[in-house]
């Protein structure tokens, strides 16, 4: 590492997902919406667009009525520096009121949510159904049920999150660009590594998976994104042993970038490959990826795309059925949504349909029980203009130093 | 940045928290325990000790009976490379059976948990109470209740997590050592920065909070820990503006290290400080920290420690009550547990008692409405031997380059 890489450009902040909740309330006539969660809860992030404190907080949405404007209430820990002020500055969406309530550490969040609801509901004979995401904490649910509310799980947020707005796609493009920077660092390190009897070395010291991972992660944070503990390097050797020469090394990065969106990039590299098995697997994986892309269009379901990709990989001489009794390497393909979660709907192995606004990771490859795994993958967006790779990155089995300096 | 920093030494893996669940079941006579959560769920991590996939998974514990050994069942997504095999290799604790069930992506996790329970419970007239953590997802709770189970929230995991074993304290020491490496990098950068009219510069370019954060985070990942999006740099200027000369810059790092444990280190630095207000605030914060440490002993509650520290800081001429009508800078002190979560019980502002095995972050300082904030903080452990700073790091308002090279 020399100098500081230029950070990636920041993206605009996407707008709040509260309108999806508001629409679900209008549709169902529910009395409100409640969610409680921690910083890692992607639905909460979608509603607030704030990288909140490492603590529990609540969002309560109350629709407008004759006496009230529609209102979002944020119940946040009072002792977290800045947490309250971040929420006090909110005005998104602009047509609803936003209010912050300090969360008291000695009282359960669910009890405090009940008190917020009681301000609005004690005097009225409203419908007492509340919409909640399916992962609402059980204790909050019990507090609300004890107050006479019926809880109805809503998929409104999950559904809304599956269609990325242009601003969200910009966030995804930005973090995916950072992912390619991390991968380019990995390639540069591997291209300058030296094969020895015990495996690869770099600067005279063993190049372990763990050491390579640290180099990739340092690049990711230097360009301004979080590795999100998602950088994985897989080879036939242990994480603390030198990486093997002449064998496939699988690299996966899925950093988290501005506003919480994830990238996803997978490559397989081999230093001093003699061709043969891994070369054939690599070509098959690339063909599988292309076959998948040809299938990516609105109305097609994820399982169909996976099936076509597996068939294409299999055409290169790999097993396609999980019950294939042979010990041949097996073709694989996984397609799933990527956004505020590194893995979100549409889920692999389901009949979830793709649509305009879907952003999916596609990963294809082969698994050999003894020789390891080959995987190639990246992000694709479906829009009015068709299918596009979010950020291009070259495909090569042999590592190439694509950086000016190392 | 020159070269690669030496990574911190890894820690041994702490043992599974399942015995705490087992004890709670024996005590209550419950039919089993269920938890469902994602990778960020610290209770799940405590039970499995696996940094699981970015996806929902379940842990079911069934006590032994006349026909069965006690058994832990892990329901994990089948399409996550390695996830199933990681759990198949488990044998902790050794006196119970461990079993892995592939989670089907087309069926709700709660339904699959119900099927796991039905294997054991259909033929018996057992007590049908299940212990669950309070954050069990609402939809799983509904699936279990529909099958006739009564759910009883258990605090067994929370309670067990609050007492750190010697191995857990090693994990905390390891990541806290990495936190000090990140702080030393920040100091080195600030010590070599140049004050200019518009603020600090480094290598001729503006030194913004964001740029300094990237440098700290690069150091953290280079020594092998995750910044966990917890590195915060706060000054009177915006993140994208040059950091101010002569004014306090607050730096907080709370990386996540081996086996998921967090560090916590806070310092306040000022480049070319002229003394005066920030010097007095710094001395007061340091005295507040010492006052807090004198209070740290088994049986004392968190609020008491905070109160004593605030009083000590206040003795240096700062306001101590939140309703103080003056515009004076205000004394603050926060004490809370740190472990698999960066913030966990005992919680600040509560009457939770400290005990042998507690590891707490103590942070003291002053907030001035116009001149900014001063904060000093670190981790302390309470053990049979008394109170100890987990990892020492010098206190200095002026940045000192403590690294050999930069």
């Amino acid at each position: 590492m020399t100098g500081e890489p230029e950070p990636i450009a920041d993206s605009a902040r996407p707008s709040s997902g509260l309108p999806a909740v508001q629409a679900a309330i209008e549709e169902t006539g529910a009395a409100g919406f409640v969610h409680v969660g921690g910083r890692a809860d992607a639905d909460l992030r979608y509603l607030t667009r704030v990288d909140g404190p490492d603590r529990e907080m609540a969002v309560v949405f109350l629709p407008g009525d004759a006496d009230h404007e529609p209102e979002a209430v944020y119940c946040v820990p009072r002792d977290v520096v800045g947490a309250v002020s971040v929420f006090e500055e909110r005005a998104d969406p602009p047509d609803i009121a936003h209010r912050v309530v300090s969360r008291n550490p000695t009282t359960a969040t669910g009890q405090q949510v009940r008190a917020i609801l009681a301000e609005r509901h004690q005097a009225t004979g409203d419908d007492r159904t509340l919409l909640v995401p399916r992962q609402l904490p059980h204790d909050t649910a019990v507090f609300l049920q004890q107050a006479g509310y019926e809880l109805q799980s809503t998929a409104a947020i999950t559904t809304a999150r599956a269609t990325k707005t242009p601003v969200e796609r910009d966030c995804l493009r930005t973090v995916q660009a950072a992912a390619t920077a991390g991968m380019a660092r990995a390639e540069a390190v591997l291209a300058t590594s030296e094969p020895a009897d015990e495996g690869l070395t770099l600067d005279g010291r063993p190049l372990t998976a763990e050491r390579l991972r640290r180099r990739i992660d340092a690049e990711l944070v230097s360009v301004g994104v979080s590795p999100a503990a998602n950088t994985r390097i897989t080879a036939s050797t242990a994480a603390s042993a030198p990486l093997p020469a002449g064998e496939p090394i699988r690299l996966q990065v899925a950093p988290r970038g501005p506003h919480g969106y994830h990238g996803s990039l997978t490559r397989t590299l081999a230093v001093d490959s003699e061709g043969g098995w891994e070369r054939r697997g690599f070509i098959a994986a690339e063909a599988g990826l292309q076959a998948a892309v040809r299938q990516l269009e609105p109305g097609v379901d994820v399982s169909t795309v996976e099936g076509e990709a597996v068939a294409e990989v299999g055409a290169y001489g790999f097993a396609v059925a999980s019950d294939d009794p042979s010990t041949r390497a097996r073709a694989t393909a996984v397609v799933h949504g990527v956004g505020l979660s590194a893995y979100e709907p549409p889920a692999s192995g389901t009949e979830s349909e793709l649509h305009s606004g879907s952003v999916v990771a596609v990963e294809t490859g082969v698994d050999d029980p003894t020789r390891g795994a080959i995987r190639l993958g990246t992000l694709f967006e479906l829009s009015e203009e068709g299918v596009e790779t979010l950020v291009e990155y070259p495909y090569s089995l042999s590592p190439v130093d694509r950086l000016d300096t190392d």
Side-chain angles (χ1 to χ4, degrees), chain A residues 333-359:
Chain A
V334 170
V335 179
H336 61 81
V338 173
L340 287 170
S341 298
Y343 190 108
E344 60 182 43
S348 169
T350 67
E351 297 188 1
S352 309
E353 281 187 8
L354 299 165
H355 51 261
S356 182
S358 294
V359 172

Side-chain angles (χ1 to χ4, degrees), chain A residues 199-220:
Chain A
L200 301 178
T201 63
L202 182 73
D203 303 333
R205 290 189 298 124
L207 179 61
T208 64
E210 179 55 25
R211 188 174 168 207
L212 180 57
R213 186 188 64 72
R214 290 197 305 269
R215 293 294 293 267
I216 297 170
D217 285 353
E219 185 75 20
L220 293 174

Side-chain angles (χ1 to χ4, degrees), chain A residues 61-72 94-98 120:
Chain A
F61 179 79
L62 294 161
D65 61 22
D67 302 318
H68 304 87
E69 280 193 295
E71 185 182 36
D95 57 346
I96 70 167
H98 298 268
R120 178 77 81 93

Side-chain angles (χ1 to χ4, degrees), chain A residues 95-159:
Chain A
D95 57 346
I96 70 167
H98 298 268
R99 185 157 59 96
V100 183
V101 173
S102 278
R103 186 162 81 66
N104 179 341
T106 59
T107 312
T109 313
Q111 274 179 284
Q112 295 178 63
V113 166
R114 203 161 67 175
I116 291 166
L117 292 168
E119 296 170 26
R120 178 77 81 93
H121 290 151
Q122 57 185 354
T124 68
D126 291 345
D127 180 348
R128 302 286 256 167
T129 298
L130 294 174
L131 300 185
V132 299
R134 63 172 199 79
Q135 77 272 27
L136 182 79
H138 175 59
D139 71 331
T140 298
V142 171
F143 279 117
L144 297 176
Q145 286 164 337
Q146 283 170 350
Y149 289 99
E150 289 257 347
L151 303 186
Q152 186 181 321
S153 283
T154 176
I157 301 174
T158 308
T159 304

Side-chain angles (χ1 to χ4, degrees), chain A residues 94-291:
Chain A
D95 57 346
I96 70 167
H98 298 268
R99 185 157 59 96
V100 183
V101 173
S102 278
R103 186 162 81 66
N104 179 341
T106 59
T107 312
T109 313
Q111 274 179 284
Q112 295 178 63
V113 166
R114 203 161 67 175
I116 291 166
L117 292 168
E119 296 170 26
R120 178 77 81 93
H121 290 151
Q122 57 185 354
T124 68
D126 291 345
D127 180 348
R128 302 286 256 167
T129 298
L130 294 174
L131 300 185
V132 299
R134 63 172 199 79
Q135 77 272 27
L136 182 79
H138 175 59
D139 71 331
T140 298
V142 171
F143 279 117
L144 297 176
Q145 286 164 337
Q146 283 170 350
Y149 289 99
E150 289 257 347
L151 303 186
Q152 186 181 321
S153 283
T154 176
I157 301 174
T158 308
T159 304
R161 280 178 51 196
T163 301
K164 272 72 180 177
T165 63
V167 174
E168 291 178 305
R169 276 179 268 161
D170 272 350
C171 292
L172 286 155
R173 233 184 308 278
T174 298
V175 65
Q176 184 71 347
T180 65
M183 192 62 77
R185 173 62 57 192
E187 278 207 70
V189 168
L190 287 170
T192 52
S193 71
E194 307 266 353
D197 282 353
E198 325 70 53
L200 301 178
T201 63
L202 182 73
D203 303 333
R205 290 189 298 124
L207 179 61
T208 64
E210 179 55 25
R211 188 174 168 207
L212 180 57
R213 186 188 64 72
R214 290 197 305 269
R215 293 294 293 267
I216 297 170
D217 285 353
E219 185 75 20
L220 293 174
V221 300
S222 297
V223 299
V225 302
S226 164
N230 282 333
T231 304
R232 296 202 167 87
I233 294 157
T234 324
S236 60
T237 48
S240 56
L243 288 165
E247 284 182 30
I249 300 166
R250 186 176 70 207
L251 302 111
Q252 298 175 287
V253 292
R256 187 170 49 238
H259 312 300
Y261 287 82
H262 287 82
S264 181
L265 186 66
T266 301
R267 287 292 184 273
T268 302
L269 297 163
V271 177
D272 280 357
S273 160
E274 293 173 5
W277 177 79
E278 66 265 19
R279 170 66 55 190
R280 187 162 56 89
F282 188 92
I283 292 168
E286 205 175 347
L289 209 50
Q290 285 160 5

